[in-house]
PDB file of all heavy atoms in Angstrom:
ATOM      1  N   THR A  10     -13.128  17.284   6.306  1.00 55.00           N
ATOM      2  CA  THR A  10     -13.214  15.908   5.743  1.00 55.00           C
ATOM      3  C   THR A  10     -14.202  15.871   4.620  1.00 55.00           C
ATOM      4  O   THR A  10     -14.473  14.813   4.057  1.00 55.00           O
ATOM      5  CB  THR A  10     -13.571  14.791   6.862  1.00 55.00           C
ATOM      6  OG1 THR A  10     -14.577  15.419   7.567  1.00 55.00           O
ATOM      7  CG2 THR A  10     -12.367  14.594   7.811  1.00 55.00           C
ATOM      8  N   SER A  14     -13.845  19.510   0.161  1.00 95.00           N
ATOM      9  CA  SER A  14     -12.591  20.170   0.780  1.00 95.00           C
ATOM     10  C   SER A  14     -11.504  20.131  -0.223  1.00 95.00           C
ATOM     11  O   SER A  14     -11.340  19.208  -1.076  1.00 95.00           O
ATOM     12  CB  SER A  14     -12.277  19.339   1.939  1.00 95.00           C
ATOM     13  OG  SER A  14     -10.909  19.726   2.376  1.00 95.00           O
ATOM     14  N   LEU A  16      -8.584  19.565   0.232  1.00 98.00           N
ATOM     15  CA  LEU A  16      -7.594  18.571   0.468  1.00 98.00           C
ATOM     16  C   LEU A  16      -8.270  17.398   1.129  1.00 98.00           C
ATOM     17  O   LEU A  16      -8.955  17.574   2.143  1.00 98.00           O
ATOM     18  CB  LEU A  16      -6.507  19.038   1.425  1.00 98.00           C
ATOM     19  CG  LEU A  16      -5.440  17.984   1.807  1.00 98.00           C
ATOM     20  CD1 LEU A  16      -4.547  17.803   0.563  1.00 98.00           C
ATOM     21  CD2 LEU A  16      -4.514  18.597   2.966  1.00 98.00           C
ATOM     22  N   ASN A  30      -7.504  18.448  -4.072  1.00 98.00           N
ATOM     23  CA  ASN A  30      -8.825  18.182  -4.618  1.00 98.00           C
ATOM     24  C   ASN A  30      -9.520  19.488  -5.043  1.00 98.00           C
ATOM     25  O   ASN A  30     -10.504  19.896  -4.492  1.00 98.00           O
ATOM     26  CB  ASN A  30      -9.703  17.570  -3.437  1.00 98.00           C
ATOM     27  CG  ASN A  30     -11.057  17.043  -3.929  1.00 98.00           C
ATOM     28  OD1 ASN A  30     -11.232  16.617  -5.079  1.00 98.00           O
ATOM     29  ND2 ASN A  30     -12.073  17.346  -3.035  1.00 98.00           N
ATOM     30  N   ALA A  37      -4.860  23.675  -8.589  1.00 98.00           N
ATOM     31  CA  ALA A  37      -3.990  24.817  -8.326  1.00 98.00           C
ATOM     32  C   ALA A  37      -4.054  25.099  -6.887  1.00 98.00           C
ATOM     33  O   ALA A  37      -5.099  25.101  -6.259  1.00 98.00           O
ATOM     34  CB  ALA A  37      -4.432  26.016  -9.135  1.00 98.00           C
ATOM     35  N   ILE A  48      -1.059  21.947   7.562  1.00 98.00           N
ATOM     36  CA  ILE A  48      -1.611  21.323   8.743  1.00 98.00           C
ATOM     37  C   ILE A  48      -1.653  19.736   8.648  1.00 98.00           C
ATOM     38  O   ILE A  48      -1.257  19.067   9.525  1.00 98.00           O
ATOM     39  CB  ILE A  48      -3.101  21.748   8.935  1.00 98.00           C
ATOM     40  CG1 ILE A  48      -3.063  23.288   9.312  1.00 98.00           C
ATOM     41  CG2 ILE A  48      -3.811  21.007   9.906  1.00 98.00           C
ATOM     42  CD1 ILE A  48      -4.444  23.789   9.635  1.00 98.00           C
ATOM     43  N   ASP A  76      -2.628  29.167  -7.752  1.00 97.00           N
ATOM     44  CA  ASP A  76      -3.870  29.620  -8.509  1.00 97.00           C
ATOM     45  C   ASP A  76      -3.690  31.110  -8.754  1.00 97.00           C
ATOM     46  O   ASP A  76      -3.658  31.948  -7.836  1.00 97.00           O
ATOM     47  CB  ASP A  76      -5.002  29.384  -7.575  1.00 97.00           C
ATOM     48  CG  ASP A  76      -6.284  29.628  -8.334  1.00 97.00           C
ATOM     49  OD1 ASP A  76      -6.504  30.606  -9.021  1.00 97.00           O
ATOM     50  OD2 ASP A  76      -7.216  28.801  -8.145  1.00 97.00           O
ATOM     51  N   LEU A  77      -3.647  31.446 -10.089  1.00 96.00           N
ATOM     52  CA  LEU A  77      -3.258  32.721 -10.526  1.00 96.00           C
ATOM     53  C   LEU A  77      -4.530  33.705 -10.360  1.00 96.00           C
ATOM     54  O   LEU A  77      -4.317  34.957 -10.445  1.00 96.00           O
ATOM     55  CB  LEU A  77      -2.723  32.688 -11.910  1.00 96.00           C
ATOM     56  CG  LEU A  77      -1.433  31.951 -12.139  1.00 96.00           C
ATOM     57  CD1 LEU A  77      -1.176  31.844 -13.619  1.00 96.00           C
ATOM     58  CD2 LEU A  77      -0.254  32.633 -11.385  1.00 96.00           C
ATOM     59  N   VAL A 130       2.263  11.349  -9.181  1.00 99.00           N
ATOM     60  CA  VAL A 130       1.841  12.501 -10.077  1.00 99.00           C
ATOM     61  C   VAL A 130       0.947  11.926 -11.149  1.00 99.00           C
ATOM     62  O   VAL A 130       1.420  11.288 -12.124  1.00 99.00           O
ATOM     63  CB  VAL A 130       3.189  13.112 -10.667  1.00 99.00           C
ATOM     64  CG1 VAL A 130       2.789  14.315 -11.594  1.00 99.00           C
ATOM     65  CG2 VAL A 130       4.113  13.610  -9.610  1.00 99.00           C
ATOM     66  N   ALA A 142       5.832  18.361  -5.866  1.00 98.00           N
ATOM     67  CA  ALA A 142       6.026  16.943  -6.201  1.00 98.00           C
ATOM     68  C   ALA A 142       7.491  16.541  -6.062  1.00 98.00           C
ATOM     69  O   ALA A 142       7.805  15.558  -5.333  1.00 98.00           O
ATOM     70  CB  ALA A 142       5.550  16.664  -7.545  1.00 98.00           C
ATOM     71  N   PHE A 160       7.116  28.903 -14.581  1.00 98.00           N
ATOM     72  CA  PHE A 160       7.392  30.325 -14.012  1.00 98.00           C
ATOM     73  C   PHE A 160       7.816  31.329 -15.079  1.00 98.00           C
ATOM     74  O   PHE A 160       7.380  32.414 -15.206  1.00 98.00           O
ATOM     75  CB  PHE A 160       8.421  30.228 -12.952  1.00 98.00           C
ATOM     76  CG  PHE A 160       8.157  29.220 -11.950  1.00 98.00           C
ATOM     77  CD1 PHE A 160       8.556  27.827 -12.012  1.00 98.00           C
ATOM     78  CD2 PHE A 160       7.501  29.463 -10.785  1.00 98.00           C
ATOM     79  CE1 PHE A 160       8.291  26.914 -11.142  1.00 98.00           C
ATOM     80  CE2 PHE A 160       7.064  28.516  -9.860  1.00 98.00           C
ATOM     81  CZ  PHE A 160       7.566  27.222  -9.981  1.00 98.00           C
ATOM     82  N   LEU A 174      16.232  22.107  -6.165  1.00 98.00           N
ATOM     83  CA  LEU A 174      15.928  20.684  -6.524  1.00 98.00           C
ATOM     84  C   LEU A 174      16.407  20.408  -7.968  1.00 98.00           C
ATOM     85  O   LEU A 174      16.952  19.363  -8.270  1.00 98.00           O
ATOM     86  CB  LEU A 174      14.316  20.520  -6.444  1.00 98.00           C
ATOM     87  CG  LEU A 174      13.822  20.452  -5.083  1.00 98.00           C
ATOM     88  CD1 LEU A 174      12.298  20.698  -5.103  1.00 98.00           C
ATOM     89  CD2 LEU A 174      14.206  19.126  -4.382  1.00 98.00           C
ATOM     90  N   THR A 221       4.486   1.247  -2.883  1.00 98.00           N
ATOM     91  CA  THR A 221       5.757   1.759  -2.585  1.00 98.00           C
ATOM     92  C   THR A 221       5.599   2.336  -1.167  1.00 98.00           C
ATOM     93  O   THR A 221       6.493   2.197  -0.315  1.00 98.00           O
ATOM     94  CB  THR A 221       6.135   2.906  -3.628  1.00 98.00           C
ATOM     95  OG1 THR A 221       6.235   2.240  -4.854  1.00 98.00           O
ATOM     96  CG2 THR A 221       7.536   3.401  -3.294  1.00 98.00           C
ATOM     97  N   THR A 230      11.967   3.569   9.724  1.00 98.00           N
ATOM     98  CA  THR A 230      11.656   4.973   9.327  1.00 98.00           C
ATOM     99  C   THR A 230      12.784   5.871   9.683  1.00 98.00           C
ATOM    100  O   THR A 230      13.211   6.765   8.832  1.00 98.00           O
ATOM    101  CB  THR A 230      10.434   5.427  10.112  1.00 98.00           C
ATOM    102  OG1 THR A 230       9.452   4.384   9.901  1.00 98.00           O
ATOM    103  CG2 THR A 230      10.002   6.869   9.750  1.00 98.00           C
ATOM    104  N   LYS A 257      28.611   9.581  11.963  1.00 98.00           N
ATOM    105  CA  LYS A 257      27.882  10.107  13.045  1.00 98.00           C
ATOM    106  C   LYS A 257      26.423   9.626  13.077  1.00 98.00           C
ATOM    107  O   LYS A 257      26.004   9.058  14.151  1.00 98.00           O
ATOM    108  CB  LYS A 257      27.839  11.658  12.948  1.00 98.00           C
ATOM    109  CG  LYS A 257      27.083  12.327  14.071  1.00 98.00           C
ATOM    110  CD  LYS A 257      27.099  13.914  13.811  1.00 98.00           C
ATOM    111  CE  LYS A 257      25.821  14.426  14.310  1.00 98.00           C
ATOM    112  NZ  LYS A 257      25.430  15.756  13.737  1.00 98.00           N
ATOM    113  N   LEU A 258      25.796   9.512  11.921  1.00 98.00           N
ATOM    114  CA  LEU A 258      24.370   9.074  11.864  1.00 98.00           C
ATOM    115  C   LEU A 258      24.428   7.515  12.153  1.00 98.00           C
ATOM    116  O   LEU A 258      23.555   7.095  12.898  1.00 98.00           O
ATOM    117  CB  LEU A 258      23.852   9.204  10.479  1.00 98.00           C
ATOM    118  CG  LEU A 258      23.596  10.751  10.057  1.00 98.00           C
ATOM    119  CD1 LEU A 258      23.197  10.879   8.655  1.00 98.00           C
ATOM    120  CD2 LEU A 258      22.668  11.453  10.938  1.00 98.00           C
ATOM    121  N   SER A 260      26.520   5.857  14.060  1.00 97.00           N
ATOM    122  CA  SER A 260      26.752   5.705  15.420  1.00 97.00           C
ATOM    123  C   SER A 260      25.520   5.928  16.259  1.00 97.00           C
ATOM    124  O   SER A 260      25.167   4.982  17.065  1.00 97.00           O
ATOM    125  CB  SER A 260      27.794   6.827  15.844  1.00 97.00           C
ATOM    126  OG  SER A 260      27.939   6.789  17.193  1.00 97.00           O
ATOM    127  N   GLN A 261      24.739   6.902  15.857  1.00 97.00           N
ATOM    128  CA  GLN A 261      23.350   7.095  16.555  1.00 97.00           C
ATOM    129  C   GLN A 261      22.365   5.873  16.263  1.00 97.00           C
ATOM    130  O   GLN A 261      21.799   5.311  17.207  1.00 97.00           O
ATOM    131  CB  GLN A 261      22.717   8.433  16.092  1.00 97.00           C
ATOM    132  CG  GLN A 261      23.380   9.628  16.509  1.00 97.00           C
ATOM    133  CD  GLN A 261      23.014  10.818  15.789  1.00 97.00           C
ATOM    134  OE1 GLN A 261      22.097  10.767  14.854  1.00 97.00           O
ATOM    135  NE2 GLN A 261      23.573  12.010  16.070  1.00 97.00           N
ATOM    136  N   LEU A 276      19.918 -12.447  11.391  1.00 98.00           N
ATOM    137  CA  LEU A 276      20.702 -13.565  11.882  1.00 98.00           C
ATOM    138  C   LEU A 276      19.760 -14.777  12.271  1.00 98.00           C
ATOM    139  O   LEU A 276      20.190 -15.924  12.145  1.00 98.00           O
ATOM    140  CB  LEU A 276      21.542 -13.158  13.121  1.00 98.00           C
ATOM    141  CG  LEU A 276      22.624 -12.157  12.687  1.00 98.00           C
ATOM    142  CD1 LEU A 276      23.313 -11.674  14.004  1.00 98.00           C
ATOM    143  CD2 LEU A 276      23.671 -12.811  11.787  1.00 98.00           C
TER     144      LEU A 276
END
Side-chain angles (χ1 to χ4, degrees):
T10 49
S14 168
L16 184 68
N30 187 40
I48 290 184
D76 189 316
L77 297 173
V130 182
F160 309 90
L174 290 163
T221 303
T230 309
K257 183 179 143 201
L258 296 175
S260 170
Q261 293 164 359
L276 293 173

